[in-house]
Every structure is written in C-alpha cells, then in structure tokens.
C-alpha cells in the first residue's frame, strides 16, 4: 500500500504555515548561523563567517554566475532580489536534516531568518512566492511536505515561475516534447500504464512503446528507501502521478527516481 504522505498534500496544505512548519521541521539540528552578507541567487546565501549555504529542498531559477555558455533562467534576477529582501544583512539560524556539506563545501541547510515579525523560513517563503520549486535529495528529505504544499498553492495561483512556460508541468504522453527538455529539471504528469520490475529496478511506463515513451526508473538504491517507508511502487500502476527530476534520453525520455518524494500521487487508479 502507498504511504499516506504521497497522497496527502491537500490535507497538509490546510494547516497553518507556522504550526505546520514547527511540526514538519521540529527534528532539524538547529545551530546559530550568522549574518547574511551576500545572496548569490535565489537559493544560496553567504554568511559573515564565510559559510556558503545552499538552501536545501528548493531550486530557484539559476544565474550564470561566471559559467560560460550558461543562460539565465527566466525570473532568476527576481528570485535573487526576493531573497535579498528578506535575508540580506539579517541574522539567521540553520537547520540541518540530512547530509550537511556538499562536494562544493557548501552547507546544506534550512535557513530561518530573524525578521521583524518573527522568524521566516526562507525556503518556504521563496516557494510560496513562486520563485523556487521543491528540489529534494535522497540524503535530505526533511520538511518536504510543507514545501510541496506551498508549491502547490503557488502553482495553482500562477505565481512567479508558474506563469512562465519555461517551468510548465509537462505531459507524460508527449515524449517528443520531453526530449526537447533533455538535461532540464522538469515536473511531468501522467497516468502510469505499467509498473514493471526487472533487473533490480522498477520501471513506471507511461506509454505502450517503452523505447520511445516516457519512463520513470526507480533504481535499486531508491527501492530500499521506498521499502523503508512502506511504499510498494507496483501499486502506482494506473495512478495519475507527478514525477519530478532531470530528463535524460535512454530508450526515450526518462527520469531517474532516487527517493520517494520525486513521485506525487494525484489520483489513484
């Protein structure tokens, strides 16, 4: 049976943001951070002690930041400005809920800003404004339910990125369009035609021609996380789902699933 959290976003969205944030994030390891002296982009800040903090759980539109040939994503300057408005020159606390340092020596933390009217959870604020989307990792899965709820409200309201076709949710039954988005992080919606286990993987097929149609592939390491959460991916057969992840091309467009939160169940079979 599917774990309730995969299908309970509507109930979570009904909770107040303050009380729900406390409930969802109460088991973070909280530490003093420092003063934000620089905002690099919509999901990265630098503190007065030199610590670079990647705001885990979110992905804001990207700026080139010196990368040759990298195009500015739509609304990237606006996302940076919005984060500066709430965090620049403000003291923050950091909340760790998984892997704490990435390969670039950045801290992977939830950022809580000391605002005039109380503490602001920076990740939730940016997602709620439609200036970031949920972007999770298998080794950092805390506080995601509330971020999904905030994203859902922003998407329904057409705020920020959700009014721009660059960030539109893609249709699983249009594989040619998905191939055009190869190398991009996308949200893809469709009904699972077949959930098939083979060679230690589970394949969620969204069309009859598996070498051409869109597929979500759950690798063996991810299946262990599904099992630990009491989730049987085969139960997704026939369900309407939203998949999020990086699109690649292996026998048609596909997204690799590394942890359960990449799959949102929108309707049962």
């Amino acid at each position: 049976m599917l774990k309730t959290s995969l299908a309970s976003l509507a109930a979570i969205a009904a909770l107040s943001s303050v009380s729900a944030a406390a409930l969802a994030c109460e088991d973070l390891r909280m530490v003093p951070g420092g003063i934000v002296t620089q905002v690099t982009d919509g999901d990265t800040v630098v503190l007065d002690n030199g610590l670079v903090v990647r705001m885990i759980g979110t992905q804001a539109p990207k700026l080139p930041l010196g990368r040759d040939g990298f195009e500015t994503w739509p609304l990237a300057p606006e996302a940076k400005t919005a984060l500066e408005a709430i965090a620049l020159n403000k003291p923050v606390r950091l909340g760790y809920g998984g892997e704490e340092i990435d390969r670039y020596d950045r801290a992977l933390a939830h950022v809580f800003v000391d605002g005039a009217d109380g503490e602001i959870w920076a990740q939730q604020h940016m997602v709620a404004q439609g200036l970031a989307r949920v972007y999770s990792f298998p080794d950092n899965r805390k506080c995601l339910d509330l971020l999904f709820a905030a994203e859902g409200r922003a998407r329904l309201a057409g705020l920020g990125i959700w009014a721009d076709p660059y960030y539109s949710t893609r249709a699983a039954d249009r594989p040619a369009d998905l191939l055009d988005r190869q190398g991009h992080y996308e949200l893809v919606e469709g009904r699972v035609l077949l959930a098939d286990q083979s060679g230690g993987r589970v394949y969620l097929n969204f069309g009859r021609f598996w070498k051409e149609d869109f597929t979500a592939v759950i690798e063996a390491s991810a299946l262990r996380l599904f099992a630990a959460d009491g989730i049987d991916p085969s139960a997704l057969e026939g369900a309407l789902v939203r998949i999020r992840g990086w699109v690649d091309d292996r026998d048609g467009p596909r997204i690799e699933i590394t942890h359960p939160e990449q799959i949102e169940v929108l309707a049962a079979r």
Side-chain angles (χ1 to χ4, degrees), residues 39-42 60-67 70-73 76-77 80:
V39 173
T40 305
D41 57 20
K62 297 299 182 186
L63 293 165
L65 301 177
R67 290 172 285 190
F70 190 99
E71 295 184 1
T72 299
W73 293 10
K80 178 182 178 182

Side-chain angles (χ1 to χ4, degrees), residues 59 132-136 148 151-152 155 161-162 165-172 178 181 184-190 214 241-247 255 261-264 266:
Q59 180 196 63
R133 54 188 170 182
V134 180
Y135 181 53
S136 56
F148 277 122
E151 181 190 275
R155 189 168 55 247
I161 64 175
W162 305 114
Y166 185 89
Y167 303 98
S168 293
T169 300
R170 313 296 169 182
L178 288 171
R181 301 299 294 173
H184 290 255
Y185 187 82
E186 299 292 339
L187 276 62
V188 181
E189 289 184 7
F214 173 65
V241 300
R242 181 184 299 123
I243 306 287
R244 65 181 67 218
W246 295 93
V247 177
I255 288 177
E261 286 79 7
Q262 285 178 263
I263 302 174
E264 299 168 77
L266 306 179

Side-chain angles (χ1 to χ4, degrees), residues 7-15:
S8 61
L9 299 183
I12 293 167
L15 298 172

